[in-house]
Amino acid sequence: MNTDKINIAVDGFSSCGKSTIAKGLAAKVGYIYIDSGAMYRALALFAIKNGWMTEDYINEDELIRHISDIKIEFKPNDDGTQDTYLNGENVESEIRSLQVANGASRISTLGFVREELVRQQRAMGEQKGVVMDGRDIGTVVFPDAELKIFLTASPEVRAKRRFLELQSKDIDTTYEDTLANVTERDYRDTTRKESPLRKAEDALELDNSYITIDEQLQWAVDMFNKITKRE
Ligand code: DC
């Protein structure tokens, strides 16, 4: 049996269930899960709170000046999942709002933002044994990741999932607004100049519109076993 650790990249559109698969796979194989989207969200929250980002403006000068002041960490919580901390403060629930999601999508188009967060993400994966989900993990952050998964699902299925998730967190929104948000983010994620969302050539694609979470997880574990020759 081969016990060398690998890095696993899980990429795909927003609300595709990347974090469910990435978290589940990390738990099954004993790896560390890292939510790279939470890092863009935390940075967006930081910019919003400091008044450097409004609906139609980003103060790039201030952001460049202060980007190295932010410290993003992930710590386990009582639910057995993990929370995102921004400079020591738990911001897990704040970063899940639609306002912050939109801000993250906009801030993630900036080259200097990507450079800094990619640097931090690579450092987290240096020792291997990491499952990281995002948009550019298999293409930019870990182009040498031994296992790359690319998830897809239709925009309607994804909007429905995100809407139910937001409702369960008592976040006030409608299905129509959620679908518009998903579509807008898809467009921005795939057309931006810096690291647009695309499938790495060597990524394994999985459309999860109509399969269960257990089926997806089993498929991911099978792929992991195949690559690490653990079966
Ligand atoms: O996965 P998410 O919805 O939490 O990501 C929030 C935003 O951050 C999303 O609009 C795209 C951006 N993002 C990115 O550009 N690169 C990543 N690796 C992860 C997220």
Side-chain angles (χ1 to χ4, degrees):
M1 190 176 84
N2 182 354
T3 52
D4 285 350
K5 286 190 172 170
I6 64 168
N7 276 337
I8 303 172
V10 180
D11 288 302
F13 292 95
S14 65
S15 308
C16 236
K18 294 185 297 291
S19 66
T20 306
I21 288 302
K23 255 183 237 169
L25 181 58
K28 290 236 179 214
V29 304
Y31 279 19
I32 295 167
Y33 164 64
I34 296 167
D35 175 357
S36 72
M39 299 171 72
Y40 289 93
R41 286 170 182 260
L43 184 61
L45 180 67
F46 181 70
I48 293 169
K49 279 191 164 170
N50 281 291
W52 303 328
M53 180 157 67
T54 62
E55 293 258 304
D56 49 15
Y57 172 72
I58 300 179
N59 187 333
E60 291 186 32
D61 290 342
E62 288 294 342
L63 204 52
I64 290 177
R65 196 166 308 138
H66 294 282
I67 196 160
S68 54
D69 297 348
I70 71 155
K71 188 167 171 221
I72 301 166
E73 295 164 292
F74 298 103
K75 296 184 192 170
N77 59 28
D78 296 341
D79 302 344
T81 59
Q82 62 184 20
D83 288 344
T84 309
Y85 284 73
L86 171 64
N87 293 338
E89 186 194 346
N90 187 334
V91 292
E92 185 57 38
S93 120
E94 263 181 295
I95 62 167
R96 301 298 161 191
S97 72
L98 283 180
Q99 187 203 9
V100 175
N102 260 323
S105 172
R106 285 165 55 215
I107 223 167
S108 68
T109 62
L110 301 174
F112 68 90
V113 163
R114 303 206 70 84
E115 215 171 276
E116 172 60 21
L117 294 190
V118 167
R119 188 188 64 72
Q120 294 190 17
Q121 289 153 5
R122 286 191 178 140
M124 292 172 178
E126 224 159 54
Q127 310 295 319
K128 301 244 179 177
V130 157
V131 184
M132 191 177 289
D133 68 359
R135 306 291 190 288
D136 60 341
I137 312 305
T139 51
V140 176
V141 180
F142 301 141
D144 298 330
E146 292 82 350
L147 174 57
K148 298 180 186 178
I149 296 172
F150 191 82
L151 287 181
T152 62
S154 74
E156 290 75 17
V157 166
R158 290 185 282 128
K160 197 169 147 205
R161 288 180 189 157
R162 176 54 67 104
F163 177 59
L164 292 175
E165 186 191 329
L166 292 170
Q167 265 193 326
S168 75
K169 290 178 181 162
D170 286 331
I171 294 175
D172 190 25
T173 183
T174 62
Y175 168 77
E176 287 70 27
D177 280 353
T178 314
L179 179 60
N181 181 265
V182 163
T183 315
E184 189 189 331
R185 286 205 289 154
D186 283 0
Y187 178 77
R188 211 180 280 133
D189 289 350
T190 51
T191 57
R192 69 176 176 226
K193 235 173 61 219
E194 302 285 341
S195 314
L197 168 65
R198 63 177 178 81
K199 175 178 168 288
E201 265 174 28
D202 51 349
L204 307 170
E205 184 167 338
L206 181 69
D207 182 333
N208 68 10
S209 299
Y210 304 106
I211 58 172
T212 66
I213 289 170
D214 282 350
E215 286 166 337
Q216 293 172 59
L217 205 48
Q218 190 53 54
W219 175 85
V221 171
D222 289 347
M223 295 305 123
F224 173 85
N225 286 336
K226 204 164 146 190
I227 281 166
T228 57
K229 305 205 172 18
R230 291 187 190 201
E231 72 266 347

